[in-house]
Amino acid sequence: MNTLARLEARSTSPAAGATGAKISSNRPSRAEAEQAVRTLIRWAGDDPMREGLLDTPARVVRAYQHWFAGYQEDPAEHLQRTFEEVAGYDEMVVMRDIDYQSHCEHHMAPINGRIHIGYLPRNRVVGISKLVRLVQVYARRLQTQEKMTAQIADTLQRLLAPQGVAVVVEGSHGCMTSRGVQQAKATMLTSRMLGVFRDRPETRQEFLAALNLDRASRWAAGR
Ligand SMILES: [Zn+2]
């Protein structure tokens, strides 16, 4: 939020933890990954050697590098720059409508949605772009929405140590919209409340009111 940008900033480093999910050493080669895509093309019923599909395996593998970049990132690295001297600011900080793209771990189908993050600072705040990076580290992995919600909230609580963290996630799941029960407009809402957001109903209510969550249904209806 704008409030953050105006705060006088000074960098400091919170304790970093081993929070990454670095890829293990038995990662297959790029050629092996491209071969696996050719297998899936054949399984779908097409010929991976026809002209229109010749470069597809290489493109898919490059797309995977982006979609799953989160495995090679440590969220602690993104949250190391926090800002102290918040000029006595001790009110809630809320960032709404962070877009994310993820993939479900059951079908590898896309999940698209928005994430809303709130926290009550304890002496220090974090730059807004860092919250977006935190979301991307966990979104760019194979996920369930529930797990991603918990990971984002728990990591922010652990690394920033605020008085509390609140995370609400909206998600439209490709595995539900385009296959299975085919619910094109259904969206899932998940949340995790920690610290004062869990313990104090009025704090939780203030956060949820700031989200104005009936926008969620308007957003979903417009898709
Ligand atoms: Zn799925």
Side-chain angles (χ1 to χ4, degrees), residues 46-223:
D46 214 321
D47 173 12
M49 301 316 287
R50 76 173 168 85
E51 192 176 359
L53 289 175
L54 274 182
D55 294 331
T56 298
R59 287 193 204 96
V60 171
V61 168
R62 280 199 299 276
Y64 265 46
Q65 281 186 311
H66 175 73
W67 290 335
F68 302 112
Y71 287 109
Q72 300 181 79
E73 292 186 34
D74 184 343
E77 286 164 18
H78 295 299
L79 290 176
Q80 264 172 6
R81 248 184 93 80
T82 61
F83 302 124
E84 293 183 357
E85 288 188 16
V86 291
Y89 186 85
D90 58 357
E91 298 295 324
M92 189 179 299
V93 177
V94 180
M95 187 165 179
R96 302 183 301 194
D97 298 333
I98 303 169
D99 283 316
Y100 73 91
Q101 293 84 38
S102 189
H103 288 80
C104 83
E105 67 183 29
H106 302 128
H107 306 90
M108 302 178 76
I111 308 171
N112 294 293
R114 297 175 177 190
I115 299 188
H116 318 284
I117 298 175
Y119 65 94
L120 197 60
R122 194 197 310 269
N123 299 327
R124 63 188 187 199
V125 299
V126 65
I128 51 178
S129 67
K130 307 301 182 188
L131 293 179
V132 175
R133 299 298 297 162
L134 172 64
V135 165
Q136 289 172 343
V137 166
Y138 286 114
R140 291 175 181 172
R141 298 179 182 187
L142 291 170
Q143 278 291 9
T144 67
Q145 185 175 319
E146 296 90 335
K147 184 172 67 179
M148 182 175 71
T149 305
Q151 286 173 329
I152 291 168
D154 293 354
T155 301
L156 188 59
Q157 181 68 45
R158 185 162 44 83
L159 295 177
L160 190 63
Q163 296 183 60
V165 167
V167 174
V168 169
V169 180
E170 306 170 37
S172 171
H173 291 242
C175 57
M176 194 168 71
T177 57
S178 71
R179 59 163 292 287
V181 290
Q182 296 196 326
Q183 289 298 302
K185 290 189 174 141
T187 56
M188 190 155 104
L189 272 180
T190 48
S191 68
R192 184 158 177 88
M193 305 285 161
L194 301 173
V196 290
F197 292 91
R198 181 183 287 255
D199 299 337
R200 294 210 310 244
E202 64 272 25
T203 304
R204 181 166 63 245
Q205 203 51 47
E206 185 185 343
F207 170 70
L208 293 173
L211 297 193
N212 187 16
L213 261 188
D214 66 353
R215 290 172 317 120
S217 51
R218 287 207 300 276
W219 164 72
R223 292 176 65 83

